[in-house]
Amino acid sequence: MCGIVGYTGNAPAAPILLEGLEHLEYRGYDSAGVAVVSPDKGLQIQKCKGRLQALREKLDSLPPLEGTVGLGHTRWATHGEPNDVNSHPHVSQNGRVAIVHNGIIENYAEIKDFLLHKGVRFRSDTDSEVVAQLLEYCFTDHSDPLDAVYAVLERLEGAYALGILCADRPDMLIAARKDAPLLIGYGGGESFIASDATAIIAHTRQVSYMEDGEVAVLTRAGVQVFDQYRRPVEKQRHTIEWDVSAAEKGGYAHFMFKEIMEQPEALRQTISPRLRDGRLVFDELELPEDRLRDFDRIFLVACGSSYHVGMLGKYNLERFLRLPVEVCLASEFRYSSPLVDERSLVIVISQSGETLDSMAALREAKARGGYILAIVNVVGSSIARESDGVLYTWAGPEIAVATTKAYSTQLVLLTMFGLWMAEKLGRADPEDYAAVTAELALLPAKLETVLADTGVYQYLASQYFNHDCIFYIGRNLDYALGLEGSLKLKEISYIHSESYAAGELKHGTISLIEPGTLVVALATYGQLFDKAASNIVEVKSRGADVVGLTTESFRPRMEQLATHTLTIPDTHPALQPNLGVAPLQLFAYYIALQRGCDIDKPKNLAKSVTVE
Ligand code: M6R
């Protein structure tokens, strides 16, 4: 969370920073700020609570900030409420340094206490301000800014991506990283730092990813990077392949809607390089068959929607592989002394590849000897880099906080991987293998038909947008799918929602069903349709309205049961959730639209969760 962008070059920095922040706002939008430094004016800071637009308006009413070196920040508040003072950049007491920070300084209280005793006065309630104040304090012993930065970093505990400006060095920007993403961008006579490439792609496609412990010094003359022991590092440069338009709305009202509609194409990008003549191929993996044979257990580790992919993956992978599969919330896994060893395959699923909980779980699993396979969307992200093997989802940049196309591509990729592994181990049923691969080829087109007509979802949203609680029920794969449908609704519409295994209702939850309660009943898993039907009858007979989602072949039966029936094309059961998720996304989207919610930037959330 929090977005950072920095610039050094010959152009006025402020407009470049603001433009960069526009692309980073999805990372946090509690406040925004910029700092620019120039030889004549020194450090100039403007920041305020609220969206970037508020900062723009403030800047428009003031004389332009002067300088060609600067930093920008958009905040997702952790320590200190969202207000003007707690906004970044933070400036040290005597105005010598300004910093922007993403992450949490865990020992900030101790440092603050130390500095308070030295007479330093703090302005904000943030953990981040200690970095600015400590840096200025360290200047008493270190006249060279880099010496002072290293002295500060030695004392910091926690996670940080830092951008630093010094009033008396208007030619220079310093960056440092530990456990929070930061990349360097290289242009002609200019250089950048950014939390992700979307912020700088309009200026350069040449980037390198900072590693933990690294410090970068950016000047007009170029970029120097040092490791934690201050040894120079030769950074590998990567070229960003995707087009700038992929990170723009392109005429759609919301990124979320655009990304829902992009799903068929995203699935094509994920599936087609790995499906050749009806066979699954994973050329990108260097996993010898004897290593595959060694695995006696699989862990699927993730957070949020990626965790829901894991929930679905468990059903499919256990069916294909007949191996025990455990699905773990990354935030719990890391503290649970997990039973991972050399025979464990640990699959970490993450869109951003930067989620701190998932990253920490990865490291825990690695330390215990597990083989780490990442399913990640963002190329070059931390999780991708620290894993033993990576499968990229190729969904393209996902901007809306609520994930859609990344979820869908993670899901299909995990299913494909499970089947591929089963075949390598001689455990795949040939008929089933052929059926899944045949359906994989058809999946994007089938999804297009689901997305072709959104009228029914708009209608349903108009009927139910003012409900204050909506239930989702389903069995087996439909249960896991319901968890995602319910999360989509909650996060963007703020309607309370619960998702239950349909068979579990009678063990307690059914007491919450009243006349008029809306229950979204998922029954796309044909084998259990009859069981799901019984559960639908149970809630209907207690007065619930039921929106039933099933496949075309079960439409007549669902129409007899539900208040409203939604259908998706039939496909192989293992792939059915890939079609089933789209109606749930659209239902949540239109409900949020009816309620006037800020769909792409729901309250209290951020896209990339880089704090614990
Ligand atoms: O980037 P990740 O996939 O690791 O993110 C995990 C969750 O934070 C994420 O899926 C979150 O739950 C989404 N906002 C859901 O739409």
Side-chain angles (χ1 to χ4, degrees):
M1 11 263 283
C2 297
I4 290 177
V5 62
Y7 174 76
T8 62
N10 295 309
I16 293 172
L17 298 172
L18 284 173
E19 182 207 322
L21 287 181
E22 222 163 75
H23 296 283
L24 292 178
E25 220 186 355
Y26 72 91
R27 301 178 70 89
Y29 28 85
D30 289 331
S31 64
V34 287
V36 173
V37 62
S38 79
D40 300 337
K41 297 257 172 91
L43 277 173
Q44 307 139 76
I45 317 283
Q46 289 301 336
K47 55 183 187 173
C48 61
K49 179 185 166 180
R51 299 286 162 94
L52 186 60
Q53 188 52 27
L55 179 67
R56 276 192 185 285
E57 284 163 16
K58 188 173 178 186
L59 287 171
D60 284 347
S61 67
L62 297 167
L65 300 180
E66 266 178 38
T68 60
V69 177
L71 288 168
H73 186 269
T74 173
R75 179 172 187 239
W76 186 84
T78 58
H79 295 55
E81 63 172 270
N83 62 26
D84 290 356
V85 178
N86 290 335
S87 310
H88 298 221
H90 290 286
V91 185
S92 58
Q93 180 172 268
N94 298 319
R96 196 158 174 199
V97 291
I99 66 102
V100 292
H101 171 222
N102 171 26
I104 292 180
I105 306 299
E106 285 169 0
N107 60 338
Y108 81 100
E110 183 192 305
I111 297 174
K112 190 168 180 174
D113 207 38
F114 166 80
L115 291 169
L116 284 170
H117 279 94
K118 300 284 176 196
V120 174
R121 289 186 311 280
F122 280 77
R123 296 186 185 93
S124 77
D125 303 319
T126 65
D127 55 325
S128 309
E129 190 186 347
V130 300
V131 180
Q133 303 290 13
L134 186 60
L135 196 49
E136 185 170 276
Y137 177 80
C138 287
F139 273 124
T140 24
D141 290 334
H142 306 278
S143 54
D144 174 35
L146 202 54
D147 287 345
V149 167
Y150 270 91
V152 167
L153 297 183
E154 231 169 66
R155 293 184 65 167
L156 299 185
E157 284 169 22
Y160 49 80
L162 286 169
I164 299 166
L165 293 177
C166 301
D168 51 3
R169 289 298 307 269
D171 58 328
M172 184 185 76
L173 184 167
I174 299 179
R177 170 207 152 118
K178 182 175 164 265
D179 290 339
L182 203 56
L183 56 80
I184 301 167
Y186 306 90
E190 52 187 12
S191 47
F192 305 81
I193 57 165
S195 298
D196 81 47
T198 52
I200 58 170
I201 185 90
H203 303 278
T204 180
R205 292 175 172 276
Q206 291 297 303
V207 302
S208 53
Y209 302 101
M210 289 185 72
E211 301 292 343
D212 282 351
E214 285 183 350
V215 175
V217 181
L218 287 76
T219 61
R220 257 173 233 108
V223 181
Q224 290 173 290
V225 181
F226 305 94
D227 69 7
Q228 60 174 315
Y229 306 108
R230 214 170 156 173
R231 295 175 302 208
V233 179
E234 202 56 54
K235 293 298 288 179
Q236 202 191 335
R237 294 195 187 188
H238 304 264
T239 306
I240 302 289
E241 303 287 356
W242 44 265
D243 194 69
V244 71
S245 65
E248 285 168 357
K249 266 193 224 157
Y252 288 92
H254 297 100
F255 276 111
M256 182 179 176
F257 191 72
K258 175 180 179 245
E259 287 159 5
I260 290 173
M261 291 300 160
E262 282 173 349
Q263 289 179 110
E265 187 50 31
L267 286 185
R268 271 186 203 104
Q269 297 297 327
T270 310
I271 296 169
S272 58
R274 291 148 175 147
L275 185 64
R276 278 185 225 140
D277 304 324
R279 310 297 307 165
L280 293 169
V281 278
F282 279 90
D283 288 342
E284 65 260 63
L285 274 187
E286 285 162 21
L287 238 177
E289 259 171 57
D290 49 345
R291 186 76 173 104
L292 273 183
R293 257 172 233 296
D294 262 5
F295 297 135
D296 64 357
R297 183 192 290 230
I298 297 177
F299 291 85
L300 301 173
V301 185
C303 305
S305 292
S306 300
Y307 170 76
H308 296 157
V309 167
M311 293 280 289
L312 281 160
K314 175 182 166 72
Y315 289 109
N316 281 341
L317 266 56
E318 283 188 343
R319 239 170 243 152
F320 293 150
L321 288 158
R322 306 313 301 157
L323 272 181
V325 178
E326 239 181 271
V327 199
C328 310
L329 286 166
S331 54
E332 291 295 317
F333 177 88
R334 67 180 295 201
Y335 299 116
S336 64
S337 192
L339 296 172
V340 172
D341 60 23
E342 294 74 20
R343 303 198 61 194
S344 308
L345 169 60
V346 181
I347 304 181
V348 180
I349 309 165
S350 174
Q351 184 285 131
S352 61
E354 300 293 350
T355 303
L356 189 66
D357 289 323
S358 304
M359 187 69 201
L362 179 162
R363 288 178 179 162
E364 178 69 33
K366 208 170 185 180
R368 288 168 187 267
Y371 179 93
I372 316 293
L373 176 64
I375 292 187
V376 167
N377 191 37
V378 179
V379 176
S381 55
S382 306
I383 289 176
R385 281 178 289 138
E386 289 202 24
S387 297
D388 298 306
V390 190
L391 298 176
Y392 284 114
T393 45
W394 304 126
E398 190 182 64
I399 309 295
V401 166
T403 181
T404 52
K405 61 176 180 172
Y407 169 93
S408 296
T409 50
Q410 287 168 347
L411 184 56
V412 79
L413 191 50
L414 184 58
T415 308
M416 290 170 76
F417 172 77
L419 189 60
W420 172 83
M421 182 168 161
E423 206 249 350
K424 289 273 170 219
L425 298 179
R427 292 183 196 170
D429 169 46
E431 256 180 54
D432 203 37
Y433 183 93
V436 178
T437 49
E439 282 299 321
L440 272 171
L442 302 175
L443 199 62
K446 288 191 176 180
L447 185 55
E448 264 158 13
T449 69
V450 179
L451 297 173
D453 182 5
T454 58
V456 63
Y457 311 108
Q458 294 185 49
Y459 167 74
L460 288 175
S462 72
Q463 299 302 295
Y464 294 107
F465 75 94
N466 55 4
H467 276 225
D468 53 16
C469 184
I470 296 179
F471 288 90
Y472 288 72
I473 60 170
R475 286 172 176 262
N476 201 278
L477 291 162
D478 284 321
Y479 162 48
L481 182 61
L483 293 170
E484 176 59 9
S486 172
L487 177 61
K488 284 288 87 82
L489 182 77
K490 282 183 270 234
E491 70 179 331
I492 61 169
S493 75
Y494 319 140
I495 295 178
H496 177 247
S497 168
E498 298 281 350
S499 179
Y500 280 91
E504 192 59 19
L505 270 190
K506 57 187 175 295
H507 298 289
T509 321
I510 202 159
S511 66
L512 296 169
I513 305 295
E514 292 175 349
T517 304
L518 178 60
V519 176
V520 179
L522 311 182
T524 69
Y525 188 54
Q527 255 176 288
L528 291 177
F529 186 91
D530 289 339
K531 301 287 171 198
S534 307
N535 302 129
I536 293 173
V537 173
E538 285 160 15
V539 293
K540 269 210 88 184
S541 60
R542 284 159 180 86
D545 270 17
V546 173
V547 170
L549 175 69
T550 190
T551 56
E552 278 302 334
S553 43
F554 284 94
R555 177 194 281 273
R557 292 195 56 197
M558 185 58 95
E559 279 174 346
Q560 286 175 356
L561 291 165
T563 323
H564 306 278
T565 298
L566 298 171
T567 56
I568 50 173
D570 289 87
T571 183
H572 187 282
L575 302 173
Q576 204 70 64
N578 259 107
L579 300 180
V581 73
L584 306 183
Q585 295 165 342
L586 286 167
F587 180 59
Y589 173 80
Y590 283 115
I591 287 215
L593 196 65
Q594 287 268 348
R595 289 166 72 91
C597 298
D598 191 345
I599 293 178
D600 285 338
K601 297 180 184 124
K603 69 178 180 210
N604 303 339
L605 291 175
K607 181 74 178 163
S608 170
V609 185
T610 52
V611 294
E612 246 192 286

